[in-house]
Amino acid sequence: MKPKAKQVLLLWMYGGPSQIDMFDLKPYSKKELSRPIFKPIQTKNPDLRVSELMPRMAQLADKY
């Protein structure tokens, strides 16, 4: 079977927040165990919250 992908986009991004700070916010954990840097916001997926820095990702959450 012939591969369908013809291009690959590879991003080397240094210095930004980690995936833990952006996606794994743990809003219901005890404050002394976990202190989220960014406020979690609700997405279109009721089971998922993302960082307040990603409002567009929150809007598209039902698609990914």
Side-chain angles (χ1 to χ4, degrees):
M1 182 175 201
K2 185 178 177 183
K4 294 180 181 179
K6 295 183 181 186
Q7 298 177 349
V8 174
L9 179 62
L10 178 61
L11 302 174
W12 293 99
M13 301 171 70
Y14 294 103
S18 71
Q19 70 274 12
I20 295 170
D21 295 329
M22 302 300 277
F23 289 98
D24 190 18
L25 301 170
K26 295 182 179 43
Y28 304 114
S29 67
K30 294 181 181 178
K31 294 297 180 191
E32 62 271 5
L33 298 177
S34 173
R35 294 186 181 119
I37 297 173
F38 308 111
K39 179 181 148 202
I41 59 173
Q42 187 62 49
T43 65
K44 285 190 174 182
N45 180 344
D47 298 326
L48 178 66
R49 291 181 181 224
V50 296
S51 165
E52 65 185 334
L53 301 178
M54 301 188 301
R56 184 75 173 133
M57 291 287 288
Q59 292 174 353
L60 298 172
D62 59 333
K63 306 220 184 329
Y64 61 84

Short mmCIF file of all heavy atoms in Angstrom, two decimals:
data_model
loop_
_atom_site.label_atom_id
_atom_site.label_comp_id
_atom_site.label_asym_id
_atom_site.label_seq_id
_atom_site.Cartn_x
_atom_site.Cartn_y
_atom_site.Cartn_z
N MET A 1 0.84 -1.18 0.00
CA MET A 1 0.00 0.00 0.00
C MET A 1 0.89 1.24 0.00
O MET A 1 1.82 1.37 0.78
CB MET A 1 -0.91 -0.04 1.23
CG MET A 1 -1.85 1.10 1.32
SD MET A 1 -2.96 0.84 2.73
CE MET A 1 -4.23 1.89 2.24
N LYS A 2 0.59 2.18 -0.85
CA LYS A 2 1.37 3.41 -0.97
C LYS A 2 1.01 4.38 0.16
O LYS A 2 -0.16 4.60 0.44
CB LYS A 2 1.07 4.06 -2.32
CG LYS A 2 1.91 5.26 -2.60
CD LYS A 2 1.59 5.83 -3.97
CE LYS A 2 2.39 7.09 -4.19
NZ LYS A 2 2.10 7.72 -5.45
N PRO A 3 2.02 4.96 0.84
CA PRO A 3 1.73 5.95 1.90
C PRO A 3 0.99 7.16 1.35
O PRO A 3 1.24 7.60 0.23
CB PRO A 3 3.12 6.35 2.40
CG PRO A 3 4.05 5.30 1.92
CD PRO A 3 3.44 4.70 0.70
N LYS A 4 0.08 7.71 2.14
CA LYS A 4 -0.71 8.86 1.71
C LYS A 4 -0.02 10.18 2.02
O LYS A 4 -0.20 11.15 1.30
CB LYS A 4 -2.08 8.84 2.39
CG LYS A 4 -2.93 7.68 1.96
CD LYS A 4 -4.26 7.70 2.65
CE LYS A 4 -5.10 6.51 2.23
NZ LYS A 4 -6.39 6.48 2.88
N ALA A 5 0.75 10.23 3.10
CA ALA A 5 1.40 11.49 3.49
C ALA A 5 2.55 11.81 2.53
O ALA A 5 3.37 10.97 2.21
CB ALA A 5 1.92 11.39 4.90
N LYS A 6 2.59 13.06 2.09
CA LYS A 6 3.65 13.50 1.19
C LYS A 6 4.57 14.52 1.85
O LYS A 6 5.64 14.79 1.37
CB LYS A 6 3.06 14.09 -0.09
CG LYS A 6 2.32 13.06 -0.90
CD LYS A 6 1.80 13.66 -2.19
CE LYS A 6 1.05 12.59 -2.96
NZ LYS A 6 0.64 13.04 -4.26
N GLN A 7 4.10 15.10 2.95
CA GLN A 7 4.89 16.12 3.64
C GLN A 7 4.77 15.90 5.14
O GLN A 7 3.79 15.35 5.63
CB GLN A 7 4.39 17.51 3.30
CG GLN A 7 4.51 17.85 1.84
CD GLN A 7 3.94 19.22 1.53
OE1 GLN A 7 3.28 19.83 2.35
NE2 GLN A 7 4.21 19.70 0.33
N VAL A 8 5.78 16.38 5.84
CA VAL A 8 5.79 16.32 7.30
C VAL A 8 6.16 17.70 7.82
O VAL A 8 7.05 18.36 7.30
CB VAL A 8 6.83 15.29 7.81
CG1 VAL A 8 6.94 15.33 9.31
CG2 VAL A 8 6.47 13.90 7.33
N LEU A 9 5.47 18.12 8.85
CA LEU A 9 5.77 19.39 9.49
C LEU A 9 6.39 19.09 10.84
O LEU A 9 5.75 18.50 11.71
CB LEU A 9 4.49 20.23 9.67
CG LEU A 9 4.65 21.57 10.35
CD1 LEU A 9 5.56 22.48 9.54
CD2 LEU A 9 3.31 22.22 10.55
N LEU A 10 7.64 19.47 11.02
CA LEU A 10 8.37 19.22 12.26
C LEU A 10 8.69 20.55 12.90
O LEU A 10 9.31 21.42 12.28
CB LEU A 10 9.66 18.45 11.97
CG LEU A 10 10.56 18.15 13.16
CD1 LEU A 10 9.85 17.29 14.18
CD2 LEU A 10 11.83 17.48 12.69
N LEU A 11 8.23 20.75 14.13
CA LEU A 11 8.44 22.00 14.85
C LEU A 11 9.40 21.78 16.01
O LEU A 11 9.16 20.91 16.85
CB LEU A 11 7.12 22.56 15.38
CG LEU A 11 6.03 22.83 14.37
CD1 LEU A 11 4.75 23.22 15.06
CD2 LEU A 11 6.46 23.89 13.40
N TRP A 12 10.48 22.53 16.06
CA TRP A 12 11.39 22.52 17.20
C TRP A 12 11.11 23.80 17.96
O TRP A 12 11.52 24.88 17.56
CB TRP A 12 12.85 22.48 16.74
CG TRP A 12 13.22 21.21 16.07
CD1 TRP A 12 13.29 20.98 14.74
CD2 TRP A 12 13.56 19.98 16.71
NE1 TRP A 12 13.65 19.69 14.49
CE2 TRP A 12 13.83 19.05 15.70
CE3 TRP A 12 13.65 19.57 18.04
CZ2 TRP A 12 14.20 17.75 15.97
CZ3 TRP A 12 14.02 18.28 18.31
CH2 TRP A 12 14.28 17.38 17.28
N MET A 13 10.40 23.69 19.05
CA MET A 13 9.99 24.87 19.80
C MET A 13 10.65 24.84 21.17
O MET A 13 10.36 23.97 21.99
CB MET A 13 8.47 24.90 19.92
CG MET A 13 7.79 24.92 18.56
SD MET A 13 6.02 24.72 18.65
CE MET A 13 5.54 26.24 19.38
N TYR A 14 11.52 25.79 21.41
CA TYR A 14 12.23 25.88 22.67
C TYR A 14 11.67 27.02 23.52
O TYR A 14 11.28 28.05 23.00
CB TYR A 14 13.71 26.14 22.43
CG TYR A 14 14.42 25.00 21.76
CD1 TYR A 14 14.73 25.04 20.41
CD2 TYR A 14 14.76 23.87 22.48
CE1 TYR A 14 15.38 23.99 19.80
CE2 TYR A 14 15.41 22.81 21.87
CZ TYR A 14 15.72 22.87 20.54
OH TYR A 14 16.35 21.83 19.93
N GLY A 15 11.63 26.81 24.83
CA GLY A 15 11.31 27.90 25.73
C GLY A 15 9.85 28.11 26.05
O GLY A 15 9.53 28.96 26.86
N GLY A 16 8.96 27.34 25.47
CA GLY A 16 7.54 27.51 25.77
C GLY A 16 7.12 26.67 26.97
O GLY A 16 7.91 25.90 27.52
N PRO A 17 5.88 26.82 27.40
CA PRO A 17 5.38 26.00 28.51
C PRO A 17 5.35 24.52 28.12
O PRO A 17 5.15 24.18 26.96
CB PRO A 17 3.96 26.50 28.74
CG PRO A 17 3.84 27.77 27.99
CD PRO A 17 4.88 27.77 26.93
N SER A 18 5.51 23.64 29.09
CA SER A 18 5.49 22.21 28.81
C SER A 18 4.06 21.72 28.61
O SER A 18 3.10 22.42 28.93
CB SER A 18 6.13 21.45 29.97
OG SER A 18 5.28 21.48 31.10
N GLN A 19 3.93 20.51 28.10
CA GLN A 19 2.60 19.94 27.90
C GLN A 19 1.88 19.76 29.22
O GLN A 19 0.65 19.80 29.28
CB GLN A 19 2.69 18.60 27.14
CG GLN A 19 3.31 17.47 27.93
CD GLN A 19 4.82 17.43 27.85
OE1 GLN A 19 5.47 18.35 27.39
NE2 GLN A 19 5.39 16.33 28.30
N ILE A 20 2.59 19.59 30.30
CA ILE A 20 1.97 19.46 31.62
C ILE A 20 1.28 20.76 32.00
O ILE A 20 0.18 20.77 32.54
CB ILE A 20 3.00 19.05 32.68
CG1 ILE A 20 3.52 17.66 32.36
CG2 ILE A 20 2.41 19.11 34.08
CD1 ILE A 20 4.70 17.24 33.17
N ASP A 21 1.90 21.88 31.71
CA ASP A 21 1.32 23.18 32.03
C ASP A 21 0.18 23.56 31.09
O ASP A 21 -0.66 24.38 31.43
CB ASP A 21 2.38 24.28 31.97
CG ASP A 21 3.44 24.10 33.02
OD1 ASP A 21 3.11 23.57 34.10
OD2 ASP A 21 4.59 24.48 32.77
N MET A 22 0.13 22.96 29.92
CA MET A 22 -0.89 23.33 28.93
C MET A 22 -2.08 22.38 28.90
O MET A 22 -3.21 22.80 28.73
CB MET A 22 -0.27 23.37 27.54
CG MET A 22 0.90 24.35 27.43
SD MET A 22 0.46 26.03 27.80
CE MET A 22 -0.19 26.52 26.24
N PHE A 23 -1.85 21.07 29.06
CA PHE A 23 -2.93 20.10 28.91
C PHE A 23 -3.26 19.32 30.18
O PHE A 23 -4.38 18.91 30.37
CB PHE A 23 -2.59 19.09 27.80
CG PHE A 23 -2.64 19.68 26.43
CD1 PHE A 23 -1.48 20.10 25.80
CD2 PHE A 23 -3.84 19.82 25.77
CE1 PHE A 23 -1.53 20.64 24.53
CE2 PHE A 23 -3.90 20.36 24.50
CZ PHE A 23 -2.74 20.77 23.89
N ASP A 24 -2.29 19.07 31.04
CA ASP A 24 -2.50 18.26 32.23
C ASP A 24 -2.54 19.16 33.45
O ASP A 24 -1.66 19.14 34.30
CB ASP A 24 -1.39 17.22 32.35
CG ASP A 24 -1.67 16.18 33.41
OD1 ASP A 24 -2.84 16.05 33.81
OD2 ASP A 24 -0.73 15.50 33.83
N LEU A 25 -3.59 19.96 33.57
CA LEU A 25 -3.64 21.02 34.58
C LEU A 25 -4.04 20.54 35.97
O LEU A 25 -3.77 21.22 36.95
CB LEU A 25 -4.63 22.10 34.11
CG LEU A 25 -4.24 22.73 32.78
CD1 LEU A 25 -5.38 23.60 32.29
CD2 LEU A 25 -2.98 23.53 32.91
N LYS A 26 -4.70 19.39 36.07
CA LYS A 26 -5.15 18.84 37.34
C LYS A 26 -5.91 19.87 38.19
O LYS A 26 -5.50 20.18 39.30
CB LYS A 26 -3.97 18.28 38.11
CG LYS A 26 -3.31 17.10 37.44
CD LYS A 26 -2.18 16.58 38.29
CE LYS A 26 -1.49 15.40 37.69
NZ LYS A 26 -1.20 15.41 36.31
N PRO A 27 -7.02 20.40 37.70
CA PRO A 27 -7.74 21.45 38.44
C PRO A 27 -8.36 20.99 39.75
O PRO A 27 -8.66 21.80 40.61
CB PRO A 27 -8.81 21.91 37.46
CG PRO A 27 -9.03 20.74 36.58
CD PRO A 27 -7.69 20.05 36.46
N TYR A 28 -8.55 19.68 39.93
CA TYR A 28 -9.20 19.18 41.14
C TYR A 28 -8.23 18.59 42.15
O TYR A 28 -8.65 18.00 43.13
CB TYR A 28 -10.26 18.14 40.76
CG TYR A 28 -11.26 18.68 39.79
CD1 TYR A 28 -11.35 18.18 38.50
CD2 TYR A 28 -12.11 19.73 40.14
CE1 TYR A 28 -12.26 18.69 37.59
CE2 TYR A 28 -13.02 20.25 39.24
CZ TYR A 28 -13.10 19.71 37.97
OH TYR A 28 -13.98 20.24 37.08
N SER A 29 -6.94 18.73 41.92
CA SER A 29 -5.96 18.18 42.85
C SER A 29 -5.79 19.12 44.05
O SER A 29 -6.17 20.28 44.03
CB SER A 29 -4.63 17.96 42.16
OG SER A 29 -4.06 19.19 41.80
N LYS A 30 -5.18 18.59 45.09
CA LYS A 30 -4.91 19.41 46.28
C LYS A 30 -3.89 20.48 45.92
O LYS A 30 -2.93 20.23 45.21
CB LYS A 30 -4.36 18.53 47.40
CG LYS A 30 -5.38 17.54 47.90
CD LYS A 30 -4.77 16.72 49.02
CE LYS A 30 -5.77 15.70 49.51
NZ LYS A 30 -5.20 14.86 50.56
N LYS A 31 -4.09 21.67 46.42
CA LYS A 31 -3.24 22.81 46.06
C LYS A 31 -1.79 22.61 46.47
O LYS A 31 -0.89 23.07 45.80
CB LYS A 31 -3.79 24.09 46.68
CG LYS A 31 -5.11 24.51 46.11
CD LYS A 31 -5.00 24.82 44.64
CE LYS A 31 -6.34 25.23 44.09
NZ LYS A 31 -6.38 25.31 42.67
N GLU A 32 -1.56 21.91 47.58
CA GLU A 32 -0.17 21.73 48.01
C GLU A 32 0.58 20.71 47.15
O GLU A 32 1.79 20.69 47.13
CB GLU A 32 -0.09 21.33 49.49
CG GLU A 32 -0.77 20.02 49.83
CD GLU A 32 -2.24 20.17 50.19
OE1 GLU A 32 -2.79 21.26 50.08
OE2 GLU A 32 -2.83 19.16 50.57
N LEU A 33 -0.16 19.87 46.40
CA LEU A 33 0.48 18.89 45.54
C LEU A 33 0.70 19.40 44.13
O LEU A 33 1.66 19.04 43.47
CB LEU A 33 -0.37 17.61 45.48
CG LEU A 33 -0.58 16.88 46.79
CD1 LEU A 33 -1.50 15.69 46.59
CD2 LEU A 33 0.75 16.43 47.36
N SER A 34 -0.20 20.22 43.67
CA SER A 34 -0.12 20.68 42.28
C SER A 34 -0.58 22.13 42.23
O SER A 34 -1.66 22.47 42.68
CB SER A 34 -1.02 19.82 41.40
OG SER A 34 -1.08 20.36 40.11
N ARG A 35 0.22 22.97 41.65
CA ARG A 35 -0.14 24.39 41.51
C ARG A 35 -0.12 24.75 40.03
O ARG A 35 0.93 25.04 39.47
CB ARG A 35 0.84 25.26 42.28
CG ARG A 35 0.74 25.04 43.75
CD ARG A 35 1.63 26.02 44.50
NE ARG A 35 1.49 25.75 45.91
CZ ARG A 35 2.48 25.38 46.69
NH1 ARG A 35 3.68 25.24 46.21
NH2 ARG A 35 2.27 25.14 47.96
N PRO A 36 -1.26 24.69 39.36
CA PRO A 36 -1.26 25.04 37.94
C PRO A 36 -0.84 26.50 37.73
O PRO A 36 -1.25 27.39 38.46
CB PRO A 36 -2.70 24.84 37.49
CG PRO A 36 -3.46 24.35 38.66
CD PRO A 36 -2.57 24.34 39.85
N ILE A 37 0.00 26.70 36.75
CA ILE A 37 0.47 28.04 36.42
C ILE A 37 -0.63 28.82 35.71
O ILE A 37 -0.83 30.00 35.95
CB ILE A 37 1.73 27.96 35.55
CG1 ILE A 37 2.86 27.29 36.32
CG2 ILE A 37 2.15 29.34 35.07
CD1 ILE A 37 4.08 27.00 35.49
N PHE A 38 -1.34 28.14 34.83
CA PHE A 38 -2.37 28.78 34.01
C PHE A 38 -3.75 28.26 34.41
O PHE A 38 -3.92 27.10 34.74
CB PHE A 38 -2.12 28.50 32.53
CG PHE A 38 -0.72 28.85 32.10
CD1 PHE A 38 0.18 27.87 31.76
CD2 PHE A 38 -0.31 30.16 32.08
CE1 PHE A 38 1.46 28.18 31.38
CE2 PHE A 38 0.97 30.49 31.70
CZ PHE A 38 1.86 29.50 31.35
N LYS A 39 -4.73 29.13 34.36
CA LYS A 39 -6.11 28.78 34.73
C LYS A 39 -6.69 27.83 33.68
O LYS A 39 -6.59 28.07 32.48
CB LYS A 39 -6.92 30.06 34.78
CG LYS A 39 -8.36 29.86 35.13
CD LYS A 39 -9.08 31.20 35.13
CE LYS A 39 -10.51 30.95 34.70
NZ LYS A 39 -11.15 32.12 34.18
N PRO A 40 -7.32 26.73 34.11
CA PRO A 40 -7.96 25.83 33.15
C PRO A 40 -9.27 26.43 32.63
O PRO A 40 -10.00 27.08 33.38
CB PRO A 40 -8.23 24.56 33.95
CG PRO A 40 -8.03 24.90 35.37
CD PRO A 40 -7.33 26.21 35.45
N ILE A 41 -9.55 26.21 31.35
CA ILE A 41 -10.82 26.65 30.76
C ILE A 41 -11.52 25.44 30.17
O ILE A 41 -10.89 24.47 29.77
CB ILE A 41 -10.63 27.75 29.69
CG1 ILE A 41 -9.73 27.28 28.56
CG2 ILE A 41 -10.10 29.02 30.33
CD1 ILE A 41 -9.64 28.25 27.39
N GLN A 42 -12.84 25.50 30.14
CA GLN A 42 -13.65 24.41 29.59
C GLN A 42 -13.56 24.41 28.07
O GLN A 42 -13.45 25.45 27.45
CB GLN A 42 -15.10 24.58 30.03
CG GLN A 42 -15.99 23.41 29.65
CD GLN A 42 -15.56 22.13 30.33
OE1 GLN A 42 -15.33 22.10 31.52
NE2 GLN A 42 -15.43 21.09 29.56
N THR A 43 -13.61 23.22 27.49
CA THR A 43 -13.60 23.07 26.03
C THR A 43 -14.97 22.60 25.57
O THR A 43 -15.87 22.39 26.38
CB THR A 43 -12.54 22.04 25.61
OG1 THR A 43 -12.92 20.77 26.12
CG2 THR A 43 -11.17 22.41 26.11
N LYS A 44 -15.12 22.39 24.28
CA LYS A 44 -16.36 21.83 23.76
C LYS A 44 -16.52 20.36 24.13
O LYS A 44 -17.60 19.83 24.09
CB LYS A 44 -16.43 21.98 22.24
CG LYS A 44 -16.74 23.39 21.80
CD LYS A 44 -17.03 23.42 20.32
CE LYS A 44 -17.49 24.79 19.90
NZ LYS A 44 -17.82 24.83 18.48
N ASN A 45 -15.43 19.72 24.50
CA ASN A 45 -15.45 18.36 25.01
C ASN A 45 -15.64 18.46 26.53
O ASN A 45 -14.78 19.00 27.21
CB ASN A 45 -14.15 17.65 24.67
CG ASN A 45 -14.10 16.24 25.17
OD1 ASN A 45 -14.88 15.83 26.02
ND2 ASN A 45 -13.17 15.47 24.65
N PRO A 46 -16.73 17.95 27.08
CA PRO A 46 -16.99 18.15 28.52
C PRO A 46 -15.96 17.49 29.44
O PRO A 46 -15.85 17.87 30.60
CB PRO A 46 -18.38 17.53 28.72
CG PRO A 46 -18.61 16.67 27.55
CD PRO A 46 -17.79 17.20 26.42
N ASP A 47 -15.20 16.54 28.94
CA ASP A 47 -14.21 15.84 29.76
C ASP A 47 -12.81 16.45 29.67
O ASP A 47 -11.88 15.94 30.27
CB ASP A 47 -14.12 14.37 29.34
CG ASP A 47 -15.43 13.64 29.55
OD1 ASP A 47 -16.13 13.99 30.52
OD2 ASP A 47 -15.75 12.75 28.75
N LEU A 48 -12.66 17.51 28.92
CA LEU A 48 -11.33 18.07 28.68
C LEU A 48 -11.28 19.55 29.03
O LEU A 48 -12.17 20.31 28.67
CB LEU A 48 -10.95 17.90 27.20
CG LEU A 48 -9.62 18.46 26.75
CD1 LEU A 48 -8.47 17.72 27.41
CD2 LEU A 48 -9.50 18.39 25.24
N ARG A 49 -10.24 19.93 29.73
CA ARG A 49 -9.95 21.34 29.99
C ARG A 49 -8.54 21.61 29.53
O ARG A 49 -7.67 20.75 29.63
CB ARG A 49 -10.07 21.66 31.48
CG ARG A 49 -11.49 21.59 31.95
CD ARG A 49 -11.60 21.93 33.39
NE ARG A 49 -12.98 21.84 33.79
CZ ARG A 49 -13.58 22.72 34.55
NH1 ARG A 49 -12.93 23.73 35.03
NH2 ARG A 49 -14.84 22.58 34.85
N VAL A 50 -8.30 22.80 29.01
CA VAL A 50 -6.97 23.20 28.57
C VAL A 50 -6.62 24.52 29.22
O VAL A 50 -7.44 25.16 29.86
CB VAL A 50 -6.88 23.31 27.02
CG1 VAL A 50 -7.11 21.97 26.37
CG2 VAL A 50 -7.85 24.32 26.48
N SER A 51 -5.40 24.94 29.01
CA SER A 51 -4.92 26.18 29.58
C SER A 51 -5.64 27.39 29.00
O SER A 51 -6.07 27.38 27.84
CB SER A 51 -3.42 26.31 29.29
OG SER A 51 -2.97 27.61 29.52
N GLU A 52 -5.74 28.42 29.79
CA GLU A 52 -6.35 29.66 29.34
C GLU A 52 -5.59 30.29 28.18
O GLU A 52 -6.12 31.15 27.49
CB GLU A 52 -6.43 30.65 30.50
CG GLU A 52 -5.07 31.09 31.00
CD GLU A 52 -5.14 31.98 32.23
OE1 GLU A 52 -6.15 32.66 32.42
OE2 GLU A 52 -4.16 31.98 32.97
N LEU A 53 -4.38 29.85 27.95
CA LEU A 53 -3.58 30.37 26.84
C LEU A 53 -3.98 29.80 25.49
O LEU A 53 -3.49 30.25 24.46
CB LEU A 53 -2.09 30.06 27.08
CG LEU A 53 -1.49 30.64 28.35
CD1 LEU A 53 -0.05 30.22 28.49
CD2 LEU A 53 -1.61 32.15 28.36
N MET A 54 -4.88 28.80 25.50
CA MET A 54 -5.27 28.15 24.25
C MET A 54 -6.78 28.20 24.01
O MET A 54 -7.44 27.17 23.92
CB MET A 54 -4.79 26.70 24.27
CG MET A 54 -3.30 26.57 24.45
SD MET A 54 -2.67 24.92 24.25
CE MET A 54 -3.54 24.03 25.51
N PRO A 55 -7.36 29.39 23.87
CA PRO A 55 -8.80 29.46 23.66
C PRO A 55 -9.25 28.85 22.34
O PRO A 55 -10.34 28.28 22.25
CB PRO A 55 -9.11 30.95 23.72
CG PRO A 55 -7.83 31.63 23.39
CD PRO A 55 -6.75 30.71 23.91
N ARG A 56 -8.43 28.94 21.32
CA ARG A 56 -8.80 28.34 20.03
C ARG A 56 -8.80 26.81 20.10
O ARG A 56 -9.65 26.15 19.52
CB ARG A 56 -7.83 28.83 18.94
CG ARG A 56 -8.16 28.36 17.57
CD ARG A 56 -9.34 29.10 16.98
NE ARG A 56 -9.49 28.71 15.60
CZ ARG A 56 -10.65 28.36 15.06
NH1 ARG A 56 -11.74 28.42 15.75
NH2 ARG A 56 -10.70 27.99 13.82
N MET A 57 -7.85 26.25 20.84
CA MET A 57 -7.83 24.79 21.05
C MET A 57 -9.09 24.35 21.78
O MET A 57 -9.64 23.29 21.51
CB MET A 57 -6.60 24.37 21.84
CG MET A 57 -5.29 24.51 21.11
SD MET A 57 -5.05 23.29 19.82
CE MET A 57 -4.76 21.84 20.80
N ALA A 58 -9.56 25.17 22.72
CA ALA A 58 -10.79 24.86 23.46
C ALA A 58 -11.99 24.84 22.51
O ALA A 58 -12.87 24.00 22.64
CB ALA A 58 -11.00 25.86 24.57
N GLN A 59 -12.03 25.76 21.56
CA GLN A 59 -13.12 25.81 20.60
C GLN A 59 -13.14 24.60 19.67
O GLN A 59 -14.19 24.16 19.24
CB GLN A 59 -13.04 27.08 19.75
CG GLN A 59 -13.30 28.34 20.51
CD GLN A 59 -13.07 29.58 19.63
OE1 GLN A 59 -12.60 29.48 18.51
NE2 GLN A 59 -13.41 30.73 20.18
N LEU A 60 -11.96 24.07 19.36
CA LEU A 60 -11.84 22.96 18.41
C LEU A 60 -11.77 21.59 19.09
O LEU A 60 -11.53 20.59 18.42
CB LEU A 60 -10.61 23.17 17.53
CG LEU A 60 -10.62 24.41 16.67
CD1 LEU A 60 -9.28 24.60 15.99
CD2 LEU A 60 -11.73 24.34 15.65
N ALA A 61 -11.95 21.52 20.39
CA ALA A 61 -11.74 20.27 21.14
C ALA A 61 -12.65 19.14 20.69
O ALA A 61 -12.30 17.98 20.85
CB ALA A 61 -11.90 20.53 22.63
N ASP A 62 -13.80 19.43 20.14
CA ASP A 62 -14.68 18.37 19.68
C ASP A 62 -14.17 17.73 18.38
O ASP A 62 -14.66 16.70 17.96
CB ASP A 62 -16.11 18.88 19.49
CG ASP A 62 -16.20 20.02 18.49
OD1 ASP A 62 -15.22 20.76 18.33
OD2 ASP A 62 -17.27 20.18 17.89
N LYS A 63 -13.17 18.33 17.77
CA LYS A 63 -12.64 17.83 16.51
C LYS A 63 -11.36 17.01 16.67
O LYS A 63 -10.91 16.36 15.74
CB LYS A 63 -12.36 18.99 15.57
CG LYS A 63 -13.57 19.90 15.38
CD LYS A 63 -13.71 20.34 13.98
CE LYS A 63 -14.81 21.29 13.71
NZ LYS A 63 -16.01 21.24 14.47
N TYR A 64 -10.71 17.09 17.82
CA TYR A 64 -9.49 16.30 18.02
C TYR A 64 -9.61 15.33 19.15
O TYR A 64 -10.50 15.29 19.91
CB TYR A 64 -8.25 17.18 18.22
CG TYR A 64 -8.25 18.11 19.39
CD1 TYR A 64 -7.87 17.68 20.65
CD2 TYR A 64 -8.61 19.45 19.25
CE1 TYR A 64 -7.83 18.55 21.73
CE2 TYR A 64 -8.58 20.32 20.32
CZ TYR A 64 -8.18 19.86 21.56
OH TYR A 64 -8.16 20.73 22.61
#
